Amino acid sequence: MPDTPAQLSRSRAKDTRPPATGADEKAVLRGFLDYLRDAVAAKIADVPEPQVRTARVPSGTNLLGLVTHLTAVERFSFLGEDVADWGSTMRPSARATVDEVLADYRKAVADANRVIEACPDLTLPAPRPARRGPAPSMRWILVHMIEETGRHAGHVDILREQIDGATGR
């Protein structure tokens, strides 16, 4: 944690504004989702070991675990990949590096964005694992992913500030 006002001011990033998006609904929803995704990835990109995987709250939540969880949620929601144990998605492997976890997250996001862009109508169902029953609409999934990613982006903000005082997006 920063000790002096000068160190604290250096750790505060200028906050970015919400994105300027396209005119249609899909562009607006995806623009805000990408904004949150980028904020999460940027916030953990330069956190060293072991701080990136150290739990700073009683639940055991840590930065790397949040990104592995969001990766699983992206794959489930947009690619139809099943998840047997959601709790395990919050626990990265002991060997996983920050760079590997971020690359995996960015790949899942890129794959998800291709599915979103290919969807001609947001009322159509999103991909869903067969055993999970009927899929919600792509619109619902996009709004849910904004909520899910935003919620966890807030967790990432707090955990990062506890590590070194860094704030902002």
Side-chain angles (χ1 to χ4, degrees):
M1 191 92 186
D3 296 325
T4 68
Q7 288 172 316
L8 185 59
S9 68
R10 282 193 302 268
S11 68
R12 292 191 187 276
K14 183 175 179 175
D15 224 7
T16 59
R17 293 178 180 254
T21 60
D24 70 337
E25 181 183 15
K26 188 193 299 186
V28 171
L29 294 171
R30 185 165 150 215
F32 274 85
L33 180 55
D34 284 340
Y35 173 68
L36 292 166
R37 289 163 162 167
D38 291 345
V40 167
K43 192 63 84 155
I44 77 155
D46 60 350
V47 178
E49 291 283 355
Q51 292 91 337
V52 74
R53 66 179 71 242
T54 301
R56 298 189 174 272
V57 293
S59 67
T61 303
N62 63 77
L63 292 173
L64 212 55
L66 285 166
V67 177
T68 60
H69 172 71
L70 284 170
T71 301
V73 177
E74 291 276 350
R75 288 183 176 143
F76 175 81
S77 299
F78 294 113
L79 308 178
E81 294 182 16
D82 206 358
V83 175
D85 175 13
W86 282 105
S88 70
T89 68
M90 294 290 278
R91 295 183 298 275
S93 82
R95 294 184 196 151
T97 67
V98 173
D99 290 342
E100 291 167 345
V101 169
L102 280 174
D104 199 29
Y105 181 57
R106 288 183 175 121
K107 181 178 183 333
V109 164
D111 292 344
N113 281 344
R114 280 191 286 281
V115 170
I116 295 165
E117 287 310 308
C119 182
D121 181 347
L122 296 182
T123 65
L124 294 174
R128 185 62 121 209
R131 71 177 186 89
R132 295 285 182 153
S137 70
M138 181 61 78
R139 177 181 290 110
W140 188 93
I141 290 295
L142 281 163
V143 172
H144 170 66
M145 285 303 297
I146 291 167
E147 176 271 331
E148 178 84 6
T149 308
R151 179 175 186 241
H152 292 313
H155 296 142
V156 168
D157 286 341
I158 291 166
L159 294 175
R160 179 62 191 264
E161 187 172 358
Q162 289 177 334
I163 291 170
D164 64 4
T167 61
R169 283 179 275 243

